Amino acid sequence: MYRFRLLEIGKVLSLEINSREDKFAFDVKNIPRGLYYLSIRHESDYSLTGPRLTVQRPHFETDDHIFTFVRRDQKEFFGTVLIVNEIEAINFYPSKLPCKVSISECSLRRINSFARDYIYGETFVRSKIFGMRWTIQRVYEDFLAWMRRLVKGGKDDSYSTWWKLYGNLSEAQIKSYENVCSSWLEKKPLGAMPTFVFVFNIEGSRFDWCINTLNAFVDQIYPHWELKLAGLSRLESQQGKRLIDAIDAEPRIEIWQDNDHLDKLSNYLSNLEGAASQYFFGFYGGGTLSGDALYHMVAEVVDDPSAGLIYSDHDFVDSDHFPVSALFKPDWNYDLFCATDYISEFFVTRCDTLSALINSPETHNNLDTFDLILRASERLSRTQIRHIPRVLYHKYIVDTDSENGFPELPDNLEGRQAILARHLAREEVDAYPSAAEITGTYRIHYRLPSVLPRVSIIIPTRNNLRVLENCVESIIKKTIYTNYEILIIDNGSDDEDTMHYLSVLDRSKSRVLHYPGEFNFSALNNFAVENTDSEFLVLLNNDTEVCNEDWLKELVSQASRPDVGAVGAKLFYAEERIQHAGVLLGMGPDRVAAHAFKGLHKDEVGYMGRTRLVQESSAITGACLAVSRAKYIEVGGLDSENLAIAFNDVDFCLKLLNAGYRNIWTPYAQLYHYESYSRGYDVTLAKRARFEKERDYMHDRWLGSLGLDRNYNPNLTRDFDNFSLAWPPESR
């Protein structure tokens, strides 16, 4: 065992915390490198808020070498730390809020290599865990990965392995699909079944890739397709001759000479006349189709003949057609699509819809798929835009970083911003687009009227003056939106300092209402809504702290949209990790709901860049939820009878969805959330019983809605909220 020598504060083991930068520093320069178990015993006058560890390297500070750091009880923290040669000290930041702390004991125990490998497996060095939630989750994930490696003879659990297990078509599947196709064709005449038309411009493609693409069409299980081959003159004469010879015997492939393909397409669509509704035009960006691609497209049309645009998941393959990574997409998510084009790589649209779009003056002799999808969405209902959660298209990797499930960047970034502006103008939306933080992504700014609507920020509380004061002061000091009131609902505070604070609050910006009795989050908020006539509401926990000055402006501008119900913010733990980036339904061990990307570092972009992009989210946490008062009342507010504490926010959001509204999560409103600081967690028997009763109520009421979330994907796991692969996927 090794004992720390304290730096900076010598032998004094107590420290008064006045800011989040106050710390204890421990010298580790002479300790042998390795993985260590750390224990810190402490005393404090308040419960510590947001304790964290970092390591001091020669020129900077980081948490890269901290793998776990959790609270055992109210007096001890423990964790694991990787000590390497260049680390000079371990820094312990006890709290983000003022308090007095003393440390009675600090110790390090080295973890031997066998224990390290047993616990962490091959993923040890890649792990970055902070808090018991992520420790338990990661150890469990590592255990599952280790079991998969054992079963597969030591092979990894990458996407390539996943594809071998679940992506390849078996002979039995192919035979089953062929039988279904035969039954379709027997029941309907040829003209009544869809025909798929594709234009394949081979310019710039490798010759062997062209051959693979042609073979993929010939091998389709569903036989009714046409392929228009363009760009043939760009090939070397010998290659062009070989290609012509290869397709000469295939009547479904036609060569288009190298002139205006858009005119050719327009003429082709015109010649279809009344049959256009049975033809679907396909777009794809250079790759091959899976053998069952068109089969599943037809299945969607058979299921819903009104389907107007259909897209699927796709993956990335190397030059040897080896699967590298995949893009598993949500169902149609308008706001996410405006932020990042996740559809254009492969989709089909009904030819009668396409004909109207091509003949529009806005086409300007340039058919941009992003523009086409936006204009199609203006004509189609969201149920007519269909998503097939299967990998039906394989895109060759040229120069793209697809390791984190992120769409490939388009060529015309500036042009797409103009396309968004024209789309908003056609829809008569008072908004404008701008480039977002991630290259190739966008943000839409929704303008507010010159006279800002009134907002009531509703904060239930009981005692805990430090927490409440921190929340209120952050609102007052950091909020640039001016027309708001802070409406504090006091649930029986009996602490003298808290009662005094409530009595002297500035009444020009705040009101205090008293609601004594047992804590009921739903009832407290409903009571507040009854006592305000503000146009908009923000339900806000008292254990939150505002980060950015335009947080309220962003929430209200999104909530002002006619079709939007609830709007949620990006919330962080004190440890600078994500606490809330939207809520996914049907997730976690209880299969009710879980926060997306929980525990990811605040600077990480997440899967598809989704921690940085505005998007639809099926539900929003009630810790910070904006909504118009009219819509709140329309759906009956929060359920105070059945959901006093847990899941009332999820239930409320589901009621908004049922009423026809969409819920939105935005990363441009940011707050810290110290989570259940006032009440604690549901760990007592009584609290656990209440939680289970509310969980069962949610299952009974929303059984049909708590299946797989439409903003998620069945190929991704529902056990965790990190968008990792499902083994096996639910789409099979």
Side-chain angles (χ1 to χ4, degrees), residues 18 43 66 96 125-126 144 245-246 279 288 325 339 348 352 354 369 376 382 396 453 514 536 549 591 593 700 705:
N18 295 311
E43 299 281 349
I66 308 300
K96 291 188 66 176
V125 178
R126 294 186 283 108
L144 294 180
D245 291 342
Y279 280 72
T288 63
S325 64
V348 301
D352 51 1
L354 178 63
T369 52
R382 68 181 302 153
Y396 290 111
H514 297 280
F536 289 92
E549 62 181 11
R591 289 295 192 263
D700 291 341
S705 300

Side-chain angles (χ1 to χ4, degrees), residues 399-684:
D399 291 308
T400 182
D401 178 12
S402 56
E403 292 183 358
N404 201 25
F406 201 84
E408 189 171 6
L409 294 179
D411 296 328
N412 56 334
L413 298 180
E414 294 182 1
R416 292 203 161 184
Q417 188 170 324
I419 287 170
L420 271 174
R422 292 197 297 270
H423 163 69
L424 295 169
R426 286 193 302 270
E427 293 290 276
E428 299 182 347
V429 176
D430 190 11
Y432 65 94
S434 69
E437 295 178 9
I438 303 173
T439 303
T441 64
Y442 305 94
R443 174 186 180 183
I444 296 178
H445 305 258
Y446 293 90
R447 294 185 179 92
L448 289 166
S450 56
V451 179
L452 296 177
R454 181 76 166 167
V455 182
S456 286
I457 303 173
I458 300 171
I459 306 176
T461 193
R462 184 179 189 276
N463 295 329
N464 285 298
L465 173 58
R466 285 192 317 143
V467 175
L468 175 63
E469 186 176 20
N470 186 60
C471 174
V472 172
E473 292 303 311
S474 72
I475 295 172
I476 294 173
K477 291 178 180 179
K478 296 181 181 179
T479 305
I480 60 173
Y481 191 99
T482 55
N483 193 12
Y484 71 88
E485 68 164 350
I486 300 173
L487 186 53
I488 297 174
I489 312 301
D490 178 35
N491 187 214
S493 293
D494 52 14
D495 172 71
E496 291 186 4
D497 291 338
T498 302
M499 295 170 66
H500 174 73
Y501 175 77
L502 295 176
S503 68
V504 299
L505 268 176
D506 181 2
R507 290 301 187 261
S508 65
K509 277 293 185 184
S510 61
R511 286 192 292 146
V512 179
L513 300 177
H514 297 280
Y515 191 97
E518 186 177 353
F519 179 80
N520 184 318
F521 182 82
S522 298
L524 288 166
N525 282 283
N526 291 342
F527 174 71
V529 175
E530 293 170 1
N531 286 275
T532 183
D533 58 0
S534 294
E535 187 176 348
F536 289 92
L537 313 168
V538 174
L539 312 188
L540 190 66
N541 277 21
N542 66 346
D543 55 356
T544 56
E545 178 184 341
V546 172
C547 295
N548 61 317
E549 62 181 11
D550 57 349
W551 72 284
L552 188 54
K553 177 184 177 183
E554 171 67 9
L555 291 177
V556 176
S557 67
Q558 294 285 353
S560 298
R561 299 163 62 186
D563 62 336
V564 168
V567 181
K570 188 174 187 179
L571 305 181
F572 305 115
Y573 289 110
E575 300 89 3
E576 310 296 336
R577 294 183 180 270
I578 293 174
Q579 192 269 341
H580 174 260
V583 173
L584 297 169
L585 302 178
M587 300 286 286
D590 295 311
R591 289 295 192 263
V592 177
H595 290 194
F597 301 109
K598 195 172 186 178
L600 197 67
H601 192 275
K602 64 183 297 186
D603 294 330
E604 296 289 336
V605 300
Y607 194 80
M608 288 179 64
R610 289 178 66 167
T611 70
R612 302 282 187 91
L613 304 174
V614 175
Q615 62 205 263
E616 290 181 38
S617 181
S618 294
I620 299 299
T621 179
C624 181
L625 183 153
V627 65
S628 79
R629 185 174 183 274
K631 293 170 186 173
Y632 187 96
I633 294 173
E634 177 186 345
V635 300
L638 302 184
D639 187 345
S640 59
E641 180 179 350
N642 300 295
L643 300 169
I645 312 295
F647 304 124
N648 40 54
D649 44 9
V650 177
D651 175 76
F652 175 70
C653 289
L654 287 171
K655 291 190 291 185
L656 287 167
L657 293 179
N658 272 6
Y661 300 111
R662 300 182 302 118
N663 301 316
I664 298 294
W665 175 81
T666 173
Y668 302 112
Q670 300 180 1
L671 301 90
Y672 286 106
H673 181 206
Y674 305 128
E675 195 175 26
S676 298
Y677 188 90
S678 297
R679 294 187 53 257
Y681 293 97
D682 292 329
V683 293
T684 66

Side-chain angles (χ1 to χ4, degrees), residues 4-14 24-27 103 106:
F4 284 119
R5 183 174 74 253
L6 287 170
L7 302 176
E8 298 180 3
I9 59 173
K11 296 182 179 180
V12 179
L13 298 183
S14 63
F24 294 94
F26 308 105
D27 181 9
I103 293 180
C106 300

Side-chain angles (χ1 to χ4, degrees), residues 9 13-26 40-54 69 71 77 91-103 130 466 574-575 677:
I9 59 173
L13 298 183
S14 63
L15 182 65
E16 186 166 341
I17 305 299
N18 295 311
S19 77
R20 63 186 64 179
E21 302 306 319
D22 292 331
K23 65 184 179 183
F24 294 94
F26 308 105
I40 300 176
R41 299 286 300 178
H42 74 280
E43 299 281 349
S44 61
D45 57 348
Y46 287 102
S47 178
L48 302 185
T49 303
R52 62 191 178 97
L53 279 186
T54 66
F69 185 55
R71 187 196 305 265
F77 292 97
N91 298 322
F92 173 44
Y93 295 85
S95 182
K96 291 188 66 176
L97 298 179
C99 63
K100 293 181 180 180
V101 184
S102 61
I103 293 180
F130 209 115
R466 285 192 317 143
E575 300 89 3
Y677 188 90

Side-chain angles (χ1 to χ4, degrees), residues 198-206 210 213 227-235 243 256-259 261 284-287:
F198 290 83
V199 173
F200 177 33
N201 188 348
I202 65 177
E203 182 177 358
S205 297
R206 283 175 31 172
C210 296
T213 298
L227 180 62
K228 313 302 178 183
L229 202 59
L232 202 62
S233 65
R234 305 298 197 275
L235 292 176
L243 202 58
W256 278 4
Q257 297 302 319
D258 299 331
N259 48 24
H261 301 148
Y284 68 112

